[in-house]
């Protein structure tokens, strides 16, 4: 699943960003999901391998590598209990680790989120295979984290993961394109921006119709990817979209404004709900966007005096809400009349 806003493709240049980036992001998400599944499946095995590596280093550092087999086994079990209990976390050990200089350079560059970064500077996994290894003195706690990542990388760089991710994106991929109405112009209000907005529609058309998009992991076919577009369509109508694009989005659903029952569910059902609701009938119904300001107004006095009244209980009822909001409940929105 990937969510994008259609307006981001009009921000740079005439046509904006390359819309194929949507599919590249979808494949990246699919690879992340597959890797998470692999990590959860191999977690216990990798932790056992890392535990053995660290215990070998601990025993070697303690100078008891030459002891008899029985004594050495007992020593291992003794250190194993200390390791699992966290007692050895701050102990320094000598262990072989790769040089992270080259690895960090790729991580730094990826922060810029450049398109096709891997093609420009080479595949990062190829660079990691040629990294230099050396003995380093490091704390057990830090060594555990780095060794776990190294062991996981041995399994996560396989071509099979990329193959499964591409198949997942092609068969189960969902793309949600928000603000689609912002790249649509009404036939009655044509202006200079029309060419740019219409250009974005034309760029979106091939991937929604079904085409092959080139990514750094291989070609991805969009024939069976589900595309969902949404927009308010205040200044235009869905019929103002390109006819070809309308034909590729055949199912139209009109959403209704939130009701009292919806507000109550929002207030009570979410696990991390906050009292941020107001039924606003005097201005445009914009859903839950204004609720944060409303709740701040209701609890303003309580928040101000909270340090001095710790431990007290406050009850917020209907009368308290009405008295705190006052005219805000009946205020008319006159901003639409101001130039």
């Amino acid at each position: 699943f990937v969510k994008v806003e259609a307006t981001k493709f009009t921000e740079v240049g005439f046509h904006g960003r390359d819309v194929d980036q949507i599919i590249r992001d979808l494949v990246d998400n699919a690879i992340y999901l597959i890797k998470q599944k692999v990590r959860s499946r191999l977690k216990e095995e990798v932790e056992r391998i890392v535990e053995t590596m660290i215990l070998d280093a601990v025993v070697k550092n303690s100078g008891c590598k030459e002891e008899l087999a029985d004594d050495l086994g007992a020593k291992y079990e003794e250190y194993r209990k200390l390791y699992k209990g966290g007692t050895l976390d701050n102990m320094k050990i000598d262990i072989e680790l790769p040089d992270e200089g080259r690895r960090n350079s790729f991580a730094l560059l990826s922060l810029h989120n450049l398109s096709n970064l891997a093609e420009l500077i080479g595949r990062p996994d190829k660079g990691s295979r040629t990294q230099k290894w050396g003995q380093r003195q490091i704390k057990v706690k830090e060594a555990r984290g780095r060794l776990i990542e190294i062991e996981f990388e041995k399994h996560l760089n396989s071509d099979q993961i990329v193959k499964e991710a591409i198949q997942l994106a092609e068969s189960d991929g969902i793309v949600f394109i928000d603000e689609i109405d912002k790249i649509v112009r009404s036939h009655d209000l044509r202006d200079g921006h029309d060419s740019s907005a219409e250009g974005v529609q034309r760029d979106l058309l091939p991937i929604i119709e079904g085409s092959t998009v080139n990514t750094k992991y291989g070609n991805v076919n969009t024939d069976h990817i589900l595309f969902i577009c949404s927009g308010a369509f205040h200044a235009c109508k869905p019929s103002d979209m390109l006819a070809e694009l309308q034909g590729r989005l055949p199912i139209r659903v009109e959403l209704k404004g939130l009701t009292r029952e919806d507000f109550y569910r929002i207030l009570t059902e979410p696990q991390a709900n906050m009292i941020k609701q107001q039924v606003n009938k005097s201005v445009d119904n914009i859903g839950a966007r204004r609720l944060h300001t409303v709740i701040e107004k209701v609890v303003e006095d309580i928040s101000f005096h909270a340090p001095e009244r710790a431990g007290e209980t406050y009850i917020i009822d209907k009368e308290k809400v009405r008295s705190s909001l006052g005219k805000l409940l009946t205020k008319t929105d006159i901003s639409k009349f101001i130039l």
Side-chain angles (χ1 to χ4, degrees):
F1 177 84
V2 65
K3 176 186 178 294
V4 296
E5 293 186 6
T7 51
K8 73 186 295 184
F9 303 107
T10 62
E11 293 171 356
V12 182
F14 191 70
H15 283 265
R17 291 184 59 189
D18 181 10
V19 296
D20 290 348
Q21 187 63 38
I22 296 173
I23 306 302
R24 298 187 185 107
D25 292 342
L26 185 66
V27 175
D28 287 338
N29 289 352
I31 287 179
Y32 175 79
L33 288 176
I34 297 294
K35 285 186 174 183
Q36 288 300 103
K37 290 181 180 179
V38 172
R39 290 177 75 97
S40 60
R41 188 174 69 244
L42 299 176
K43 182 179 178 181
E44 293 184 1
E45 178 185 345
V46 168
E47 286 180 350
R48 283 197 301 269
I49 294 173
V50 171
E51 179 181 309
T52 301
M53 295 171 65
I54 291 178
L55 289 177
D56 284 342
V58 170
V59 171
K60 183 179 179 181
N61 283 13
S62 65
C64 51
K65 195 72 174 176
E66 305 299 328
E67 294 185 10
L68 297 176
D70 293 341
D71 296 336
L72 190 58
K75 205 72 175 177
Y76 256 90
E77 292 305 316
E78 180 183 341
Y79 279 125
R80 193 185 305 276
K81 292 179 182 178
L82 295 174
Y83 171 80
K84 291 184 175 180
T87 308
L88 302 180
D89 283 355
N90 292 322
M91 178 181 179
K92 289 191 175 182
I93 57 174
D94 292 321
I95 199 163
E96 193 171 4
L97 291 171
D99 179 12
E100 288 209 324
R102 180 180 177 84
R103 191 175 185 179
N104 287 339
S105 64
F106 286 107
L108 181 63
L109 285 169
S110 66
L111 292 176
H112 296 285
N113 196 23
L114 298 176
S115 177
N116 292 331
L117 180 65
E119 283 82 359
L120 295 175
I121 58 178
R123 290 288 295 271
D125 53 342
K126 290 182 179 179
S128 62
R129 292 172 187 168
T130 59
Q131 285 180 327
K132 295 181 179 180
W133 290 63
Q135 287 286 337
R136 303 179 185 280
Q137 191 174 70
I138 191 173
K139 290 183 179 180
V140 169
K141 184 177 181 179
E142 185 179 350
R144 179 168 59 239
R146 292 179 62 178
L147 289 174
I148 285 176
E149 290 303 317
I150 292 171
E151 287 299 315
F152 272 128
E153 285 298 320
K154 294 178 181 178
H155 301 278
L156 298 180
N157 280 332
S158 67
D159 294 334
Q160 181 63 27
I161 287 181
V162 173
K163 183 178 178 181
E164 291 181 16
I166 291 178
Q167 184 178 357
L168 179 65
E170 289 180 339
S171 59
D172 297 332
I174 300 175
V175 175
F176 188 93
I177 304 176
D178 199 7
E179 308 284 6
I180 192 72
D181 59 310
K182 300 302 188 295
I183 60 170
V184 179
R185 294 290 182 271
S186 172
H187 293 302
D188 301 328
L189 300 172
R190 292 291 182 180
D191 55 34
H193 298 287
D194 293 337
S195 54
S196 176
E198 190 170 298
V200 178
Q201 293 185 61
R202 293 191 182 280
D203 289 345
L204 287 171
L205 184 60
I207 66 172
I208 295 179
E209 281 184 327
S211 61
T212 300
V213 176
N214 182 33
T215 72
K216 62 184 178 182
Y217 303 106
N219 293 331
V220 179
N221 190 285
T222 67
D223 286 351
H224 303 292
I225 294 176
L226 174 62
F227 288 88
I228 303 173
C229 300
S230 72
F233 288 98
H234 287 310
C236 59
K237 303 183 295 292
S239 58
D240 292 325
M241 298 170 64
L242 290 178
E244 301 91 335
L245 196 57
Q246 293 181 52
R248 294 299 175 180
L249 300 169
I251 302 175
R252 184 181 304 175
V253 178
E254 292 187 8
L255 302 181
K256 299 179 180 179
L258 296 177
T259 63
R260 288 173 64 102
E261 290 73 19
D262 295 327
F263 287 143
Y264 181 78
R265 293 184 61 193
I266 292 173
L267 286 171
T268 57
E269 292 186 14
Q271 185 177 2
N273 74 78
M274 297 177 68
I275 312 301
K276 298 179 179 178
Q277 276 307 342
Q278 175 196 11
V279 180
N280 191 338
K281 296 182 178 178
S282 62
V283 294
D284 291 339
N285 186 350
I286 60 171
R289 287 188 173 100
R290 192 180 288 114
L291 301 178
H292 188 74
T293 303
V294 172
I295 193 63
E296 282 186 345
K297 188 71 176 176
V298 171
V299 300
E300 187 175 34
D301 291 337
I302 300 175
S303 299
F304 184 78
H305 297 291
E308 294 82 17
R309 300 180 180 178
E312 296 185 21
T313 300
Y314 288 88
I315 298 177
I316 299 177
D317 54 14
K318 183 187 296 187
E319 294 305 320
K320 170 63 176 174
V321 174
R322 289 186 178 278
S323 63
S324 298
L325 296 179
K327 295 182 180 180
L328 185 61
L329 287 172
T330 57
K331 183 180 178 181
T332 302
D333 182 12
I334 62 173
S335 61
K336 63 179 72 176
F337 304 111
I338 300 175
L339 298 179

